[in-house]
Amino acid sequence: MSSEPPSAPSLADRTPWWRSRTAIVTGVLLVAAALAVCFLRQGGGSGEVFLQAASADGQDPFTRSTARSTGRYASVMDDAGAAAAAGASRSLPGATPGLYAGTRNAAGCDVDQQIGYFTENQGRGRAFAGAAGIDPDAIPAYLHGLTPVHLRADTRVTDHGYKDGSVTSFQSVLQTGTAVLVDDRGTPRVRCACGNPLGPPVAVQGTPRARGGAWDSYDPAKVVVVTPAESVLDAIVVHDPANGGWFERPVGSSGDNDSRATPPKGGLPPGPSHPHAPGRSH
């Protein structure tokens, strides 16, 4: 057997780096879309998904609520146009205009208060950092880099809670109107009502079994999964249900730099004209 090392590929055989990177990114996005179908598919077996109303403390809260109530919100998925945009997989990229709601020049979450809670309780801060995948010292910069908005659809996530000194993890559906902090790819990362870090959903075994109080408008067929935008966003295009208008919120800002936007093309519709009050459950 020859011990000669393999010869290096010729320049003609080498794949340009940008083609490889494009293929990787495309593959990741296709996998994310495919997983979204899996997360929401119905089958046999068992699995728990916790329903969390917009105003509820929620499961295993990390902190007291830092959410600010700024209005009433209805699920955009009640609109046939939104359902068509989401498609059969019910997944929506984080860059989708109108995926989130809010009030211009008003943040839905007090980020500084959130940071204060973790500064006062470093044990919880370390647990939060571990669940969020960051260094504890980076918590202030991390939270300030997120953007406060409200969900416009009941949204499936992986929720990370804090109980008896340890991090818990569970699948959850967050109600329309829930105040969240989203990252620069438009994906929810923190639930403001409890300070819990959020991640993409994980498929449960068989048919998801809902736990917790369902709200009047809850419909499993209208739950969505938010997938990361293809590239880093400069701003989030937000719908204001109070006046039917649109505005842009720069990523990492809390409302001070909001600017008026024209109705987007290719985004989600304004939604139903009769919103439900967040937090109402039965």
Side-chain angles (χ1 to χ4, degrees):
M1 180 181 294
S2 173
S3 60
E4 291 292 329
S7 59
S10 66
L11 290 176
D13 296 332
R14 294 176 183 171
T15 301
W17 67 268
W18 57 268
R19 288 185 180 174
S20 299
R21 185 173 181 182
T22 300
I24 292 172
V25 172
T26 301
V28 168
L29 293 172
L30 289 174
V31 170
L35 287 177
V37 179
C38 181
F39 297 147
L40 297 169
R41 181 177 295 156
Q42 303 296 305
S46 63
E48 292 183 338
V49 177
F50 291 84
L51 305 183
Q52 300 193 86
S55 60
D57 291 340
Q59 184 83 0
D60 302 339
F62 258 88
T63 68
R64 295 189 295 276
S65 177
T66 62
R68 295 169 172 170
S69 178
T70 56
R72 296 161 61 90
Y73 301 90
S75 174
V76 71
M77 296 303 290
D78 289 343
D79 189 295
S89 67
R90 300 194 297 282
S91 66
L92 292 165
T96 304
L99 178 58
Y100 297 110
T103 300
R104 186 178 172 185
N105 302 129
C109 182
D110 190 328
V111 174
D112 288 327
Q113 185 180 36
Q114 192 81 53
I115 294 171
Y117 286 149
F118 291 129
T119 301
E120 294 169 5
N121 193 316
Q122 296 187 7
R124 287 177 183 262
R126 287 190 295 271
F128 175 90
I134 61 173
D135 188 89
D137 293 337
I139 288 177
Y142 173 72
L143 291 175
H144 277 305
L146 302 178
T147 310
V149 290
H150 290 79
L151 300 177
R152 289 191 75 207
D154 295 348
T155 304
R156 175 79 176 274
V157 296
T158 294
D159 200 324
H160 298 91
Y162 186 81
K163 183 177 182 180
D164 299 329
S166 300
V167 175
T168 62
S169 180
F170 51 95
Q171 297 307 297
S172 181
V173 173
L174 307 183
Q175 185 191 11
T176 300
T178 296
V180 295
L181 299 175
V182 302
D183 62 16
D184 59 8
R185 298 282 179 142
T187 57
R189 290 301 179 188
V190 178
R191 182 175 183 266
C192 300
C194 56
N196 289 7
L198 306 174
V202 174
V204 298
Q205 180 182 0
T207 302
R209 179 165 57 88
R211 293 191 58 184
W215 40 94
D216 291 343
S217 60
Y218 174 68
D219 182 348
K222 296 179 180 179
V223 174
V224 305
V225 169
V226 179
T227 57
E230 293 185 16
S231 58
V232 172
L233 304 176
D234 293 322
I236 308 292
V237 179
V238 183
H239 178 252
D240 188 340
N243 56 27
W246 300 84
F247 63 90
E248 286 191 350
R249 175 164 293 173
V251 168
S253 68
S254 293
D256 295 339
N257 298 310
D258 291 350
S259 59
R260 184 179 177 181
T262 57
K265 295 181 179 180
L268 296 180
S273 59
H274 301 290
H276 308 283
R280 183 182 178 188
S281 61
H282 56 78

